[in-house]
């Protein structure tokens, strides 16, 4: 990539906007996933009986919670893709457009 | 601290057998002795149909595979949806299908803990590295790591990390394949390993990434359909009443209510977190998975790939959970699925299943769909192994030809024709090596290998990829020392850990110098700290140049400007 192009993009405020928004969003969602997962693992490690609490017949708290974590992983990726496909891609398109 | 929280669930004999060190990742490898079964013609015919169809695809793919980009990256023309299926295909190995349902069968809830660990790495891959990977890379993840660093040392490091991970994974899959095929088809172990080796070499050498991807897609669709049908039939039996299904399972299972809560899978918090780190970040360091990101046109398709892959993989794990419970309720009380004791009546529900507990899903397919459906599921299990080893072999061959040969030995002075030829030669060599090692390791305990592969991927490959993308002060020296520190420390800690030291090398129980099965909680931070320390200590001109080159790399990684596009 030519130096001129690099300077042009670096000086475009939209580039700073795109990277800061996307980085913040990506890290926020990552932290949400990490908290959900390691929260679950810590309960498994320190208080396994909690997950064995019956909630409906023999069904314990752990079963719907485990299923919910699987669903949450998919939902979080969906949330990211939705915003990236619209807002981030549009910003990126504008940056490239303005560079030409 | 260790094993303090261990004894929460009363461990029956079978649970104790299952809780041998290394079980945490053992479910991903078919371990232990198996007996050869009667020749299963339905399964063999269905499998032959799969082989003929995939060889047809390979023939078609060969006619479209001309350039290096076609060979390594399917011309960049795979869509996000197709790639999502292919990634899911790479991830849903036969061992995870049979192994996780077996874990649910013996321990219930523990199977769910295990699958969750395998899934949660995917969203993080999407949020942090997927798009940058696509924008910076060409054929292998070494392209990304060495983007602004010195080619020779960094590609050597990346290729070492790739080849070690591929070799471990491949041996585990080959041994699993041999044993599984003995069980499913009644074929000799050696023939089974050779058959798998020959077919995978054909797919990869003739059809490259395009054939490998389509084999993977077809297998993923077959596996998801078959597993869906099984889960559906289990639920139909209970009129979709989950409470009734679980109630029946608790009554039938010898551990009763203990299957509804965490059991012996997770021994203590340190092991639990270490396993979590290895699974989560190891996924982001598997070379055959990372390679898939270069088969799509742009960052948008790369991100869609992960979205679909996460959906398919999550759905698959929910199915294996239902299948495991289905095996409990539909098989445990039926003596025809068990080896009976001397009296001809009694059997141990957790130990005496014909062919071992890994056969639970296969027996269940017979229980819900008869012999024909069992033939189908057996053929799908075989197809699954074939698809996974093909992807692994291609990733290994690419590390040899694209990283070692083209960049390190020839310093980039090489044309595409030569490079592809070397790649095909490397495929054949890897194929032969996989067959030889697969046969050599038949009687060995290989359960630790997949765990070690994940630990190395998390400790050597992942830190270098992430730091090269996001940290401008990363230098060649830092990456090289940190990467090898991760690779060596993970390997040494696994060898000194209970699984290899005690179970494989046969030392006395409790004598292992390193107390944990999974080293990731130590080796991953060690790699990061080593990389950081030796980068900031590097005051050379070279280091300054590498820092100066970060901006252009960052702009390309964020905007995709200058990135490799689709060739057709």
């Amino acid at each position: 990539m030519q130096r001129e192009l690099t300077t042009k993009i670096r000086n475009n405020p939209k580039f700073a906007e795109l990277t800061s928004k996307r980085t913040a969003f990506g890290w926020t969602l990552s932290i949400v996933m990490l908290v959900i997962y390691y929260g679950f693992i810590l309960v498994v490690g320190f208080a396994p009986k909690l997950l064995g609490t019956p909630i409906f017949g023999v069904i314990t708290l752990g079963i719907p919670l485990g299923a919910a974590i699987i669903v949450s992983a998919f939902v979080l990726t969906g949330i990211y893709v939705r915003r990236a496909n619209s807002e981030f891609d549009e910003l990126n398109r504008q940056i490239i457009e303005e560079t030409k | 601290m260790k094993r303090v929280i261990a004894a929460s669930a009363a461990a029956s004999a079978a649970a104790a057998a299952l809780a041998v060190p290394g079980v945490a990742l053992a479910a991903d490898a078919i371990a232990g002795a198996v007996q050869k079964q009667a020749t299963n013609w339905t399964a063999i015919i269905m499998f032959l149909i799969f082989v003929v169809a995939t060889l047809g695809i390979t023939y078609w793919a060969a006619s479209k595979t001309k350039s290096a980009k076609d060979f390594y990256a399917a011309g960049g023309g795979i869509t996000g949806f197709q790639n999502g299926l292919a990634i899911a295909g790479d991830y849903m190995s036969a061992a995870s299908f049979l192994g996780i349902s077996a874990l649910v069968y013996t321990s219930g809830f523990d199977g769910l803990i295990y699958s969750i660990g395998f899934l949660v790495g995917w969203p993080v891959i999407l949020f942090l590295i997927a798009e940058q990977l696509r924008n910076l890379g060409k054929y292998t993840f070494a392209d990304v790591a060495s983007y602004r660093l010195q080619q020779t040392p960094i590609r050597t490091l990346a290729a070492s990390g790739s080849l070690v991970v591929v070799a471990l994974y491949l041996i585990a899959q080959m041994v699993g394949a041999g044993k599984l095929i003995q069980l499913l088809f009644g074929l000799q172990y050696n023939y089974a390993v050779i058959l798998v080796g020959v077919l995978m070499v054909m797919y990869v050498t003739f059809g490259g990434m395009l054939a490998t991807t389509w084999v993977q897609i077809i297998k993923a669709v077959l596996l998801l359909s078959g597993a869906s049908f099984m889960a559906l039939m289990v639920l139909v039996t209970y009129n979709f009443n989950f409470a009734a299904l679980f109630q029946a399972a608790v009554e039938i299972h010898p551990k009763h209510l203990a299957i509804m809560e965490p059991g012996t899978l997770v021994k203590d918090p340190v092991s639990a977190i270490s396993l979590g780190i290895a699974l989560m970040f190891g996924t982001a360091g598997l070379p055959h998975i990372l390679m898939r990101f270069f088969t799509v046109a742009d960052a948008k398709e790369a991100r869609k790939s992960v979205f679909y892959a996460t959906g398919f993989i999550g759905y698959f794990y929910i199915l294996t959970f239902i299948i495991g419970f289905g095996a409990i309720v539909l098989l445990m009380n039926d003596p025809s699925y068990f080896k009976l004791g001397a009296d001809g009546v009694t059997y141990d529900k957790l130990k005496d299943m014909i062919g071992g507990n890994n056969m639970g899903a296969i027996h269940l397919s017979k229980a819900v769909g008869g012999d024909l459906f069992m033939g189908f599921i057996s053929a799908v299990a075989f197809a699954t192994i074939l698809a996974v080893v093909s992807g692994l072999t291609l990733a290994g061959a690419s590390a040899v030809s694209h990283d070692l040969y083209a960049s390190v030995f020839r310093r980039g002075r090489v044309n595409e024709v030569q490079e592809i030829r070397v790649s095909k030669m490397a495929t054949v060599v890897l194929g032969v090596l996989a067959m030889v090692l697969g046969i050599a390791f038949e009687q060995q305990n290989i359960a630790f290998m997949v765990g070690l592969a994940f630990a190395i991927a998390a400790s050597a490959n992942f830190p270098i990829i992430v730091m090269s993308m996001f940290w401008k002060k990363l230098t060649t020296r830092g990456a090289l020392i940190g990467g090898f520190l991760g690779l060596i420390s993970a390997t040494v800690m696994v060898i000194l850990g209970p699984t290899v030291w005690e179970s494989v090398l046969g030392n006395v129980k409790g004598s292992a110098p390193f107390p944990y099965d999974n080293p990731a909680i130590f080796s991953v931070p060690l790699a990061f700290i080593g990389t950081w320390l030796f980068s900031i200590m590097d005051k050379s001109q070279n280091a300054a140049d590498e820092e100066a080159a970060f901006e252009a790399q960052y702009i390309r990684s964020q905007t995709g400007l200058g990135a490799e596009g689709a060739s057709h």
Side-chain angles (χ1 to χ4, degrees):
Chain A
M1 206 184 315
Q2 309 95 319
R3 185 160 295 275
E4 188 189 334
L5 200 69
T6 312
T7 320
K8 211 166 173 182
I9 292 178
R10 184 187 52 203
N11 293 335
N12 188 338
K14 280 180 184 160
F15 180 69
E17 186 191 345
L18 172 68
T19 53
S20 65
K21 273 187 179 169
R22 184 160 56 196
T23 308
F25 194 51
W27 279 103
T28 309
L29 290 176
S30 299
I31 289 165
V32 171
M33 189 76 253
L34 290 169
V35 166
I36 292 175
Y37 176 58
Y38 286 103
F40 175 72
I41 284 297
L42 289 175
V43 175
V44 169
F46 286 105
K49 287 287 166 201
L50 186 66
L51 295 171
T53 317
I55 51 166
F56 182 79
V58 296
I59 297 181
T60 54
L61 183 62
I63 305 276
L65 201 67
I69 295 174
I70 292 181
V71 173
S72 78
F74 181 60
V75 170
L76 287 174
T77 56
I79 292 172
Y80 178 85
V81 168
R82 195 188 158 99
R83 186 165 170 203
N85 278 351
S86 51
E87 189 184 339
F88 299 154
D89 277 356
E90 174 57 23
L91 257 176
N92 203 4
R93 197 192 57 77
Q94 289 175 13
I95 293 166
I96 292 170
E97 193 73 14
E98 287 163 22
T99 310
K100 280 177 184 160
Chain B
M1 187 76 175
K2 185 169 172 322
R3 290 180 189 150
V4 175
I5 304 167
S8 62
S12 70
L18 200 93
V20 290
V23 72
L25 279 157
D28 204 45
I30 307 282
V34 296
Q35 320 113 286
K36 186 169 160 300
Q37 303 292 303
T39 312
N40 179 344
W41 287 107
T42 330
I44 292 177
I45 290 166
M46 293 213 196
F47 177 71
L48 285 178
I49 296 172
F50 174 84
V51 169
V52 169
T54 48
L55 286 176
I57 286 172
T58 307
Y59 182 77
W60 161 79
S63 70
K64 300 194 73 170
T65 300
K66 295 188 177 73
S67 65
K69 191 180 176 69
D70 295 331
F71 184 78
Y72 291 122
I78 304 292
T79 67
F81 181 77
Q82 292 165 345
N83 195 37
L85 266 175
I87 290 175
D90 263 323
Y91 216 57
M92 303 180 297
S93 62
S96 72
F97 172 53
L98 303 177
I100 292 178
S101 18
L103 190 58
V104 174
Y105 175 84
T106 48
S107 309
F109 190 75
D110 277 355
L112 194 59
I113 301 176
Y114 189 71
S115 355
I116 289 171
F118 269 109
L119 183 70
V120 291
W122 284 104
V124 179
I125 290 178
L126 170 66
F127 305 149
L128 301 180
I129 67 169
E131 295 173 40
Q132 282 89 337
L133 205 58
R134 178 63 197 87
N135 285 338
L136 291 175
K138 202 173 168 193
Y139 307 142
T140 64
F141 82 85
D143 294 334
V144 180
S146 68
Y147 191 84
R148 70 193 150 96
L149 304 181
Q150 287 171 40
Q151 296 293 313
T152 305
I154 298 302
R155 286 203 187 257
T156 308
L157 167 71
S160 312
S162 296
L163 287 171
V164 173
V165 170
V166 164
L168 289 167
Y169 224 118
L170 204 52
I171 295 171
Q173 292 289 329
M174 283 306 237
V175 175
K179 292 194 174 167
L180 194 64
I181 291 162
Q182 259 181 303
L183 278 173
L184 299 181
F185 295 79
L187 264 178
Q188 283 283 346
Y189 178 90
N190 291 0
Y191 293 153
V193 167
I194 292 168
L195 182 64
V196 169
V198 168
L199 283 170
M200 81 180 183
V201 167
M202 286 179 74
Y203 293 146
V204 175
T205 47
F206 296 119
M209 182 52 110
L210 191 58
T212 308
T213 303
W214 279 101
V215 169
Q216 207 61 272
I217 291 173
I218 294 172
K219 158 268 171 106
V221 171
L222 291 175
L223 181 57
L224 287 168
S225 321
S228 297
F229 177 75
M230 282 165 73
L232 187 71
M233 293 307 282
V234 169
L235 293 178
V236 164
T237 315
Y238 287 87
N239 292 318
F240 294 90
N241 182 345
F242 280 91
L245 168 66
F246 289 125
Q247 179 66 45
V250 166
E251 281 163 17
I252 294 169
H253 201 287
K255 293 181 198 168
H256 302 296
L257 269 171
I259 60 170
M260 303 300 286
E261 63 182 33
T264 47
L265 176 79
V266 175
K267 289 192 290 253
D268 59 277
V270 173
S271 298
I273 294 168
S274 200
L275 174 68
I277 291 174
L279 291 180
M280 192 169 220
F281 301 119
T283 305
L286 295 175
H288 62 300
I289 299 278
L290 293 169
M291 218 181 155
R292 293 233 157 268
F293 287 98
F294 310 123
T295 65
V296 293
D298 52 30
K300 182 173 191 158
E301 295 302 311
R303 109 176 42 111
K304 278 156 71 181
S305 313
V306 188
F307 171 67
Y308 290 121
T310 310
F312 288 128
I313 297 167
Y315 172 65
F316 174 72
Y317 286 147
I318 289 174
L319 293 180
T320 54
F321 191 66
I322 298 171
I323 289 169
F325 270 89
I328 295 173
V329 293
L330 296 177
L331 305 180
M332 268 189 185
N333 279 350
D334 185 341
S336 65
Y337 296 105
F338 294 88
K339 292 186 296 270
L340 302 178
D343 56 3
V345 186
T346 55
Y347 58 91
D348 186 323
K349 290 171 176 175
L350 296 178
K351 284 161 107 181
D352 294 340
M353 184 180 281
I354 296 172
N357 289 335
N358 279 326
M359 286 293 279
I362 305 285
H363 289 316
L364 182 67
S365 67
K366 186 178 176 183
V368 301
D371 281 327
L372 196 67
F373 186 64
M374 183 174 90
F376 173 76
I377 287 293
S378 306
V380 169
F382 195 175
T384 290
I385 291 186
L386 209 45
V388 171
V389 292
S390 303
L392 285 165
T393 307
L394 181 59
S398 308
V400 171
S401 60
H402 184 60
D403 299 327
L404 290 181
Y405 175 75
S407 301
V408 176
F409 294 127
R410 300 292 300 268
R411 311 274 161 174
R413 289 186 301 272
V414 60
N415 64 39
E416 286 199 354
V417 179
Q418 288 171 310
E419 192 179 322
I420 297 176
R421 193 184 305 136
V422 171
S423 202
K424 291 183 176 178
M425 276 155 40
T427 305
V428 176
V429 172
L430 276 172
V432 172
L433 207 63
M435 287 185 253
V436 171
L437 292 174
I439 291 168
F441 277 84
E442 181 186 355
Q443 304 302 336
Q444 305 297 314
N445 181 347
I446 46 96
F448 70 95
M449 284 188 176
V450 171
L452 178 56
F454 267 81
I456 291 175
S459 316
N461 303 349
F462 174 73
I464 302 308
I465 293 170
V466 161
M467 288 186 109
S468 71
M469 279 178 185
F470 295 104
W471 192 47
K472 72 175 175 195
K473 291 188 187 307
L474 175 73
T475 71
T476 299
R477 191 187 299 170
L480 194 64
I481 297 175
F484 275 112
L485 215 53
L487 178 64
I488 293 163
S489 65
T491 311
V492 169
M493 284 189 247
V494 167
I495 293 172
L496 298 181
T499 313
V500 175
W501 192 260
E502 293 162 17
S503 311
V504 180
L505 299 176
N507 289 304
V508 201
K509 201 159 170 48
S511 67
F514 179 74
Y516 302 104
D517 286 323
N518 205 304
I521 196 170
F522 305 103
S523 57
V524 173
L526 193 65
F528 272 107
I529 292 168
T531 309
W532 168 78
L533 188 69
F534 288 97
S535 289
I536 57 159
M537 278 165 49
D538 188 351
K539 303 287 179 208
S540 63
Q541 181 56 43
N542 196 33
D545 293 345
E546 285 165 356
E547 187 177 338
F550 180 76
E551 187 170 56
Q553 177 199 311
Y554 187 66
I555 286 174
R556 170 162 158 178
S557 78
Q558 292 291 327
T559 61
L561 260 182
E564 294 281 325
S567 64
H568 49 73

